[in-house]
Amino acid sequence: MVHFRAVVLAALSLLFGGFSVLAQDVTLTSADGAVEINGTLMGFDGEFYRVQTVYGQLTVDGTGVSCDGPGCPNLTDFVANVAISGAAGMAEVLMPALIDAFALRNGYAVSRRTLDKTHFVYALSDQVTRAPIAVFNFRATSTSEGFADLLADEADIAMSLREIRDSEIKRAYDAGLGNMREKNRSRVLALNALVPIVSHDNPIDRVSPAQLAQIFSGQIDNWQDLGGPDAPIALHAPGQGSGMLQSLEDRLMRPAARQFSPDVEFHAQMEVLVNAVQRDPFAIGIATYASAGAATRLPLSGGCGFSVHATRRGIKTEDYPLTAPMFLYLPARRLPKVARDFLAYTRGPAAQIVIRRAGFVDQAPEEVPVALQGERFVNAISQAGSEVALADLQTMVARLSGLKRLSKTFRFEPGMSTLDAQSKSNATQLARAIEQGIYDGRELVFVGFSDGEGSAQANRNIAIRRAEAVKKAVLNSAEALNADRLDIQVEGFGEALPMACDESAWGRQVNRRVEVWLR
């Protein structure tokens, strides 16, 4: 197996005719000669050396030392080298689109070279002098391979179609990478969703998550069991080992304590999966929001009458339960400045336009008026019972009337008070917007909701505590906050505005949330 780092160095040689050899012994000496550091040069970002020594890995400011040895980089003609590995679903379309847009925005010339089936290179250079500036080296394989390269120090950034798993967190910690769940170790680049699809000729118009898990485990194997024709169900799913299949396991199959049926046909390419389902009226597949094409997308339903559609806004607010954030995971070390600039760009408004045009769901905040949320309030009224009186609904409507819902929803890890991965990213983004003064002079209300288990008063108390927790997380991230510039409030309405049925674990999880409303 050819190591990613070796392919990276070969790419640099191909593109620019030469490069500094990394992973060789060097000696760093302070200007007065009093301090000398010997070790293996692991990286140089144009400003800082990263050296493996007998004392561990050290980061040393390049302006204060001289470097001696065959691995020393050329400080005058430094070219930033960024290795990016992981999910092919991100590497094939989304990341190239963002790099192209980043280069255009900064006045760089950009060229692409394909090295082999899984490796390609983007080179950035000065438009006038053509002097090389940076090389982005991609290895497009799978989420698991991306994490493996990051843990082996073969990649600077890992692309992932799912949240990092506990086993990977442990391996990262054992490898000296610290806690991969810490702040700034990951970010949500864009949003996608797992969507059940069928042919236009299939009469089924909705399916519940519980039924979906039963279908793909083989427990339900005939359309007749779903109110359709007497015909066997053909199953199609994303490729084995892919991040999307692993996300499907994490979000659908494992919570239902089920495994995939041996009759499932797995597809390495999403386009092939969608085409197979479209041709077969008795097939069902799991595609992504961005790749479903002309196939019929089935909404997720529950026994109490709710149906949740995979719309762009529903995915952005996480009202659709099978959202699939697209992550970038980062090491606990400095990246080259151009890489840091690129990561900062991906969070800005210009990048959100690129993400949306590429077919994915962006994270640009939207404000949704109450008038456009009639279905949610109709569901609330229809589900009201002994625990939620009409007066409670009237109180909620009166409080939210005249406000707009922000498309940032906060949810928690199952059975925990810790925000889930997408919500952590939402907290960082909302904090940044507050620091930038985007909401100055406005009222910002964190509104907590709960599932229907327990008494109404207990659920209201839980909802308020959750809203307070989210408020604290956001304000703690807003280090430059001036609290006098906006009015921040907290409310809790318990189970008064359900998004799904409480009959299932996924429904209760969807209902436990904190929304942000603005006046």
Side-chain angles (χ1 to χ4, degrees):
M1 174 182 169
V2 178
H3 285 291
F4 188 20
R5 188 70 65 183
V7 176
V8 166
L9 296 175
L12 277 167
S13 179
L14 263 172
L15 287 161
F16 300 131
F19 53 86
S20 297
V21 180
L22 301 183
Q24 292 199 26
D25 289 342
V26 297
T27 299
L28 302 180
T29 307
S30 63
D32 60 4
V35 178
E36 188 175 276
I37 299 173
N38 298 293
T40 302
L41 182 64
M42 304 304 294
F44 178 69
D45 65 8
E47 300 170 285
F48 287 79
Y49 295 97
R50 185 163 52 91
V51 183
Q52 187 66 46
T53 73
V54 294
Y55 307 105
Q57 196 169 110
L58 302 179
T59 300
V60 182
D61 188 343
T63 61
V65 297
S66 60
C67 182
D68 182 51
C72 290
N74 186 329
L75 302 186
T76 304
D77 300 320
F78 172 74
V79 178
N81 173 27
V82 186
I84 305 174
S85 176
M90 296 174 67
E92 290 167 354
V93 177
L94 182 56
M95 290 294 282
L98 287 168
I99 287 178
D100 282 337
F102 170 73
L104 180 64
R105 187 180 183 85
N106 288 277
Y108 300 144
V110 60
S111 63
R112 172 171 172 158
R113 183 189 293 269
T114 299
L115 303 179
D116 56 38
K117 186 177 180 180
T118 59
H119 296 85
F120 61 91
V121 174
Y122 270 84
L124 306 185
S125 58
D126 186 279
Q127 280 189 338
V128 178
T129 66
R130 295 295 169 177
I133 294 171
V135 178
F136 289 85
N137 307 272
F138 282 89
R139 182 180 181 223
T141 51
S142 68
T143 292
S144 296
E145 285 294 306
F147 282 128
D149 283 339
L150 189 68
L151 267 58
D153 202 25
E154 290 287 317
D156 301 303
I157 300 173
M159 301 172 290
S160 175
L161 297 178
R162 59 166 171 80
E163 190 173 356
I164 191 170
R165 290 175 166 173
D166 290 341
S167 60
E168 292 162 334
I169 290 173
K170 183 179 185 304
R171 290 204 303 273
Y173 188 83
D174 292 342
L177 297 184
N179 184 359
M180 291 298 294
R181 282 207 172 107
E182 284 183 347
K183 182 181 177 182
N184 297 327
R185 300 303 301 277
S186 69
R187 61 182 60 190
V188 176
L189 181 65
L191 303 174
N192 212 336
L194 300 164
V195 185
I197 60 170
V198 295
S199 163
H200 291 304
D201 298 324
N202 192 305
I204 299 300
D205 61 359
R206 65 196 61 225
V207 66
S208 73
Q211 289 172 328
L212 203 57
Q214 291 173 322
I215 291 169
F216 277 88
S217 66
Q219 183 177 357
I220 295 178
D221 58 6
N222 194 294
W223 286 107
Q224 201 169 31
D225 297 331
L226 300 171
D230 182 9
I233 301 174
L235 305 172
H236 299 269
Q240 290 183 310
S242 68
M244 274 301 168
L245 186 70
Q246 293 169 343
S247 181
L248 188 60
E249 291 172 341
D250 294 346
R251 305 196 70 132
L252 180 70
M253 304 301 285
R254 188 171 294 123
R258 299 189 181 279
Q259 296 181 336
F260 285 107
S261 163
D263 296 327
V264 175
E265 183 175 353
F266 298 99
H267 300 271
Q269 294 181 320
M270 196 63 68
E271 181 181 2
V272 176
L273 184 158
V274 173
N275 289 337
V277 172
Q278 286 181 301
R279 292 193 303 266
D280 185 353
F282 304 124
I284 186 171
I286 299 291
T288 65
Y289 170 83
S291 65
T296 297
R297 302 176 185 180
L298 295 180
L300 298 180
S301 65
C304 60
F306 281 97
S307 290
V308 186
H309 297 261
T311 63
R312 185 183 62 83
R313 183 172 289 159
I315 295 168
K316 185 178 285 194
T317 60
E318 283 191 276
D319 291 347
Y320 183 78
L322 294 182
T323 56
M326 308 173 80
F327 297 94
L328 296 179
Y329 279 86
L330 310 171
R333 56 177 167 79
R334 286 173 55 92
L335 296 179
K337 184 178 184 301
V338 69
R340 301 197 304 271
D341 290 344
F342 171 71
L343 291 172
Y345 165 78
T346 63
R347 282 181 160 170
Q352 304 313 307
I353 296 173
V354 175
I355 290 167
R356 189 167 174 175
R357 287 176 177 171
F360 301 94
V361 178
D362 64 276
Q363 298 182 87
E366 298 180 26
E367 297 180 18
V368 187
V370 170
L372 296 182
Q373 302 180 67
E375 185 177 358
R376 296 212 305 161
F377 287 95
V378 168
N379 287 335
I381 294 171
S382 66
Q383 296 301 311
S386 57
E387 292 293 339
V388 182
L390 179 60
D392 295 329
L393 294 178
Q394 291 173 330
T395 299
M396 179 185 68
V397 172
R399 179 66 177 95
L400 300 180
S401 180
L403 277 70
K404 295 180 179 180
R405 181 190 177 191
L406 191 65
S407 58
K408 297 288 184 190
T409 304
F410 298 86
R411 288 189 169 84
F412 300 83
E413 298 284 357
M416 300 175 65
S417 58
T418 305
L419 291 174
D420 66 20
Q422 184 173 339
S423 296
K424 289 177 182 176
S425 180
N426 287 345
T428 301
Q429 292 176 13
L430 181 55
R432 184 174 291 106
I434 291 173
E435 286 180 313
Q436 292 171 350
I438 293 175
Y439 303 116
D440 282 4
R442 303 184 66 178
E443 180 186 19
L444 188 150
V445 188
F446 292 91
V447 184
F449 297 97
S450 72
D451 58 37
E453 293 192 331
S455 69
Q457 184 58 50
N459 286 336
R460 278 194 292 271
N461 293 339
I462 290 172
I464 290 174
R465 287 201 299 271
R466 286 184 179 137
E468 289 281 6
V470 171
K471 172 188 171 184
K472 181 178 180 182
V474 171
L475 297 186
N476 284 345
S477 296
E479 298 174 358
L481 169 69
N482 182 345
D484 296 332
R485 299 188 309 194
L486 72 167
D487 180 16
I488 301 177
Q489 301 292 329
V490 168
E491 297 282 0
F493 295 110
E495 60 198 273
L497 192 59
M499 294 300 306
C501 307
D502 274 329
E503 63 186 17
S504 64
W506 79 267
R508 292 189 292 274
Q509 176 70 10
V510 168
N511 288 334
R512 296 191 290 264
R513 68 197 187 279
V514 175
E515 299 177 358
V516 181
W517 289 69
L518 297 163
R519 187 191 303 279

